[in-house]
Amino acid sequence: MPDDTLGDFTRRTISLEGEDKTVYVAGSGPAVVIMPEMPGISPDVLRFARWVRDAGFTVYVPSLFGVDGAYPTVELGDPIARKTCVSKEFRAFAGGGTSPVAVWLRALARLAHGESGGPGVGAVGMCFTGNFALTMTLEPAVIAPVINHPSLPLDDPAGLELSPEDATAIAARFERDDLRALAYRFDNDKWCTGQRFAAYAQLLGDRFDGRVLSGAHANPNPPPFFQEVVRTPHSVVTAHLVDEQGHPTLQARDEILAYLRTRLHPEPAA
């Protein structure tokens, strides 16, 4: 697969919280912030972003690590993963609490809501950024979090990448504003285990909708980074998705789009 030129996205430099980041924007309608998975904004991440855009949303794809649009090879991805794990913006290991980059992402959601309107903003995290969709709900504009195969903290399969204070505040907001989180993983994913989903369920109760697919349904020929570094079924709607009608991974994509529509394009009251 070739690199993606992102030619159908508008490349913007957005200054928030004293920091500039590149964000790729496309579409119209309520905003959905789509965060990249390791090792960056890959062609598969952009394919998913286009599906969301075409479903009637404005997508905001922030560049948080990696080479934007690059096909994920081992040579490219392995050093990016190692560098990101020790970056001051992220808390990759247990005991670190909430990643500092979440503050910038919440500010992006606030900006996106102001620009795109609608009842609120969706947030889709994947892998390294999976849990950020949850921490972004500390921003009132975020009302539709999607947590895909969250991998942090890397050294604690039952851990959540949250400070105790943020965990308490998030649980309270879910109750107060009647929020629900949609989440996906493969049953044999070594980076996102059943223990992690159990921890989310303990925090959010039945407001956490964790859905588990058989690893037998994962794309058997993902890009090299996923074959040789990740080495397990992992990325439900990107690298390990099988784009065939009726396939369970494509159904997961459709469920996410339906969830976003329900939350961000609500039917008018009769």
Side-chain angles (χ1 to χ4, degrees):
M1 182 184 292
D3 291 352
D4 194 309
T5 65
L6 295 103
D8 52 337
F9 289 79
T10 298
R11 186 184 189 275
R12 295 171 57 183
T13 300
I14 296 182
S15 301
L16 298 165
E17 301 293 331
E19 188 168 358
D20 295 347
K21 289 188 184 298
T22 298
V23 181
Y24 298 92
V25 183
S28 61
V32 179
V33 178
I34 299 174
M35 292 160 278
E37 64 186 354
M38 194 60 62
I41 303 176
S42 69
D44 284 326
V45 169
L46 291 166
R47 177 180 61 174
F48 177 78
R50 291 183 177 104
W51 281 330
V52 175
R53 175 199 65 191
D54 294 346
F57 301 99
T58 306
V59 293
Y60 290 72
V61 187
S63 179
L64 303 178
F65 41 74
V67 179
D68 301 337
Y71 180 71
T73 64
V74 175
E75 295 76 15
L76 174 79
D78 193 48
I80 290 169
R82 294 176 186 277
K83 179 180 178 181
T84 306
C85 282
V86 297
S87 166
K88 66 179 182 179
E89 286 196 297
F90 301 94
R91 298 285 183 264
F93 302 102
T98 304
S99 289
V101 73
V103 175
W104 195 94
L105 291 167
R106 290 196 290 268
L108 176 62
R110 212 158 40 242
L111 173 77
H113 189 215
E115 292 181 345
S116 302
V121 174
V124 182
M126 306 176 184
C127 177
F128 208 82
T129 66
N131 191 65
F132 298 170
L134 184 65
T135 55
M136 284 175 68
T137 62
L138 290 173
E139 162 53 45
V142 177
I143 61 172
V146 181
I147 307 168
N148 283 320
H149 49 278
S151 62
L152 301 186
L154 297 173
D155 56 344
D156 181 4
L160 297 181
E161 190 260 352
L162 287 172
S163 69
E165 298 80 12
D166 284 352
T168 298
I170 288 167
R173 183 177 179 215
F174 268 62
E175 286 293 328
R176 182 178 66 249
D177 294 341
D178 193 25
L179 298 189
R180 280 170 173 75
L182 182 60
Y184 288 87
R185 59 176 290 269
F186 286 112
D187 60 1
N188 57 345
D189 186 348
K190 297 177 182 177
W191 299 100
C192 179
T193 67
Q195 293 169 278
R196 179 151 297 139
F197 267 32
Y200 280 109
Q202 183 176 11
L203 176 66
L204 300 176
D206 60 6
R207 296 183 180 281
F208 176 72
D209 184 357
R211 305 183 183 186
V212 183
L213 279 66
S214 169
H217 295 309
N219 174 13
N221 297 301
F225 177 82
F226 293 88
Q227 288 196 48
E228 300 179 38
V229 178
V230 177
R231 301 178 65 183
T232 182
H234 183 58
S235 302
V236 175
V237 294
T238 51
H240 288 104
L241 178 139
V242 177
D243 191 4
E244 296 175 359
Q245 193 65 34
H247 194 275
T249 57
L250 201 63
Q251 290 175 357
R253 178 209 65 180
D254 291 343
E255 290 166 4
I256 292 171
L257 296 179
Y259 166 78
L260 293 172
R261 278 192 291 266
T262 298
R263 296 295 295 166
L264 303 178
H265 282 293
E267 293 293 328

